[in-house]
Every structure is written in C-alpha cells, then in structure tokens.
Amino acid sequence: DWSSDVCSSDLFKERRIVMKFISWNVNGFRAALRHDFIGTFDKLDADIFGIQNIRLSQDEVHLQFPGYYEYWNYSDEKGYDGVAIFTKKKPLAVTLGIGIPPYDRQGRTITLEYSNFYYINTYVPFSGEDLSRLGFRMGWDDAFRAYVADLMKNKPVIIGGDMSVANEPIDLAESDENRHHAGFTEQERSDFKKLLKLGLVDTFRYMHPEKAGKYTYWSYRYNARSKNKGWRLDYFLVSDSLKSSIKKAKILSTIPGSDHCPISLKLNMK
C-alpha cells in the first residue's frame, strides 16, 4: 500500500517501498503499438506509466492492461496531442487538465492524487519550427506553473512528461546552432527555470550532473538517432522534499518505437 505509513510492532520504523515511474512521448499510440508497446510496457513493469502525444481517444483502441487503472485525456481535435496514464494503485482523485479551457482542449495533462503526493503527467506545447506558437507556449508555461504551485501548497508533486525544452547546453547535441530554435529559446529555458524555482528538482541532472550525450529525442531526419544528435526534452521533476528519496533516474535510449525514448525514475517512498 503506497499511501500508508506502516510501523513494525517492535521497532516502530516506517515502511518504505521503491516506486518505479515511466514517462514516454510515444508520438502516436497506434504507431507505438505496432512497435511492441505492450511488450515494452510489460517488461518495464512500472507502478505508474505515463504516455504523451497519443493522438487518439480511448475508444479508438481496445486494450487491456491487467493490474492497472487507466486514465485518458485527449484533444478535442482528433489526431493531435493527448495523454494517458496507467497506475497499479487507484488514486484518491483524478484531474484532467489544469483548469484553463484554451489549454485543456488539447488534452495535455492528467493529475493523480495520492495521500502523500500528486503525480502529474504532462505534454508541454511545442512552439513550432517557425516559433509561431511561442506565445501560446509561454501562456501555457505561466498557467502550468501556477497550477503546480497551487498543488505544492498541499503535498509534494512528481511531474513526468515531455517538457519541450532542453534546459542547458549539455541537454542537446548542437546547442550553438539551436539557440533560436523551438525547444532552446531563451524564453522557453527561462520559463523552465521559473518552474524549477518553485522548489522542484530535475531528477536526471541531480543524479548525473555532468553527464553529456544523454538525450530523449532525436529527429527522424538525417539519421539523428544513430548519430546521437539529440535533445533531452523529457523529464521527471520532483518536489525538493522528495530529493532524498531519489534512487535512480535513467534515460532508456535503446528502446525503439518513437522519436522519443522512455525515461524512468525510482523513488524510495514512505
């Protein structure tokens, strides 16, 4: 039971368990299914498994994930965006969206509430190759940050998802060439740092502060993945109070099926 603090009858020590989280931008759930998503899902055996950019609604696929509760949030416009989440433990409450209709119509966020944390699965808007959606993206950043800050007043948060930004030059292969490109603009990076300043930890960078060449996204063009010309766009962020609970944070770059790879997080939770 994730949500209870259990004391042994003789030593009165709280019980702690290792929880495993997976996040993956599947870039179209149908395509992921053709690339053995079910087999990967079973092998990874996560307690909570969040996916982004599903591009369909729940009734368009007929799947069963034994042992999991599942929750879906999809875009009003068919074939775009959307997220889903699969969890072994039934949450106390489920929230779809962040309470702002222009952003919620795209099905970008699901929040699960448990007794001792919130889990947020999110897919941050892409600013567009010509930056035509940068204004929309920055509005989203402000709204999402306010949403997260409000939750953090109650209990710790764990955020898993495609944040659509490489935070620092170490987080992409060609930083000099991409300083004015979507995902590495000063505006996007500044907004991400504002999110972290709420009291959040980038778990991968916390565990691997100097590790370069570790990316989660590679363009399908120019053989980018085989050349490892990538970007680290996918993150697990946790409240500062959970920092000491971080056990492992990994990028699962050998798993195919999308232009993104899954990321994993293990927390030693009460």
Side-chain angles (χ1 to χ4, degrees):
D1 184 343
W2 302 347
S3 59
S4 62
D5 292 337
V6 179
C7 296
S8 66
S9 58
D10 52 343
L11 297 179
F12 296 100
K13 292 180 180 179
E14 66 184 7
R15 189 179 71 179
R16 303 183 73 88
I17 63 168
V18 175
M19 290 186 62
K20 183 179 182 181
F21 305 87
I22 296 289
S23 177
W24 192 6
N25 179 332
V26 295
N27 192 18
F29 196 34
R30 285 192 184 88
L33 289 169
R34 290 195 298 269
H35 288 89
D36 194 30
F37 174 86
I38 300 298
T40 300
F41 182 93
D42 290 342
K43 288 176 185 176
L44 291 176
D45 189 27
D47 294 295
I48 296 180
F49 197 124
I51 58 176
Q52 305 90 38
N53 200 14
I54 57 176
R55 300 186 186 177
L56 47 68
S57 57
Q58 184 177 6
D59 58 7
E60 293 179 68
V61 288
H62 301 285
L63 300 169
Q64 290 186 335
F65 295 88
Y68 286 86
Y69 298 90
E70 55 188 87
Y71 304 96
W72 301 68
N73 192 12
Y74 34 87
S75 175
D76 290 352
E77 188 174 0
K78 292 180 72 67
Y80 290 91
D81 307 322
V83 293
I85 194 163
F86 310 94
T87 173
K88 291 181 178 179
K89 177 73 172 180
K90 188 175 183 179
L92 301 175
V94 179
T95 302
L96 305 183
I98 59 175
I100 309 292
Y103 305 124
D104 290 349
R105 284 195 287 269
Q106 297 181 338
R108 292 188 174 275
T109 301
I110 300 174
T111 303
L112 307 184
E113 180 181 0
Y114 295 99
S115 66
N116 52 351
F117 66 92
Y118 293 100
Y119 184 87
I120 306 170
N121 177 28
T122 194
Y123 179 36
V124 174
F126 175 56
S127 295
E129 292 191 9
D130 59 356
L131 299 181
S132 60
R133 287 170 55 82
L134 181 59
F136 180 86
R137 158 65 182 271
M138 295 182 71
W140 158 274
D141 287 346
D142 290 344
F144 183 71
R145 187 168 62 251
Y147 174 75
V148 172
D150 194 50
L151 293 182
M152 290 176 71
K153 295 174 184 176
N154 301 316
K155 61 186 80 173
V157 303
I158 302 166
I159 303 172
D162 178 358
M163 307 302 291
S164 292
V165 65
N167 185 31
E168 298 291 353
I170 195 175
D171 295 315
L172 71 166
E174 298 176 331
S175 58
D176 290 340
E177 296 89 332
N178 285 289
R179 287 198 176 274
H180 303 292
H181 290 186
F184 199 59
T185 65
E186 289 300 323
Q187 298 97 317
E188 291 165 314
R189 294 170 64 202
S190 175
D191 277 359
F192 186 73
K193 288 174 172 59
K194 289 177 186 176
L195 180 65
L196 294 178
K197 285 180 180 177
L198 293 179
L200 293 167
V201 176
D202 172 355
T203 59
F204 181 82
R205 193 54 68 205
Y206 176 74
M207 296 296 284
H208 311 282
E210 305 297 331
K211 200 159 194 175
K214 299 299 290 184
Y215 310 122
T216 66
Y217 163 81
W218 305 262
S219 171
Y220 283 133
R221 294 176 288 184
Y222 314 121
N223 297 314
R225 192 160 188 167
S226 63
K227 297 175 182 177
N228 200 29
K229 299 293 187 181
W231 301 57
R232 189 170 72 97
L233 303 179
D234 303 83
Y235 297 79
F236 277 114
L237 311 178
V238 303
S239 290
D240 283 341
S241 61
L242 295 177
K243 184 164 60 176
S244 63
S245 300
I246 302 170
K247 187 174 175 68
K248 290 183 180 179
K250 292 184 176 181
I251 293 172
L252 307 179
S253 56
T254 61
I255 295 179
S258 170
D259 52 358
H260 292 247
C261 72
I263 58 173
S264 74
L265 173 68
K266 288 185 177 181
L267 295 179
N268 191 19
M269 300 286 286
K270 293 181 184 179

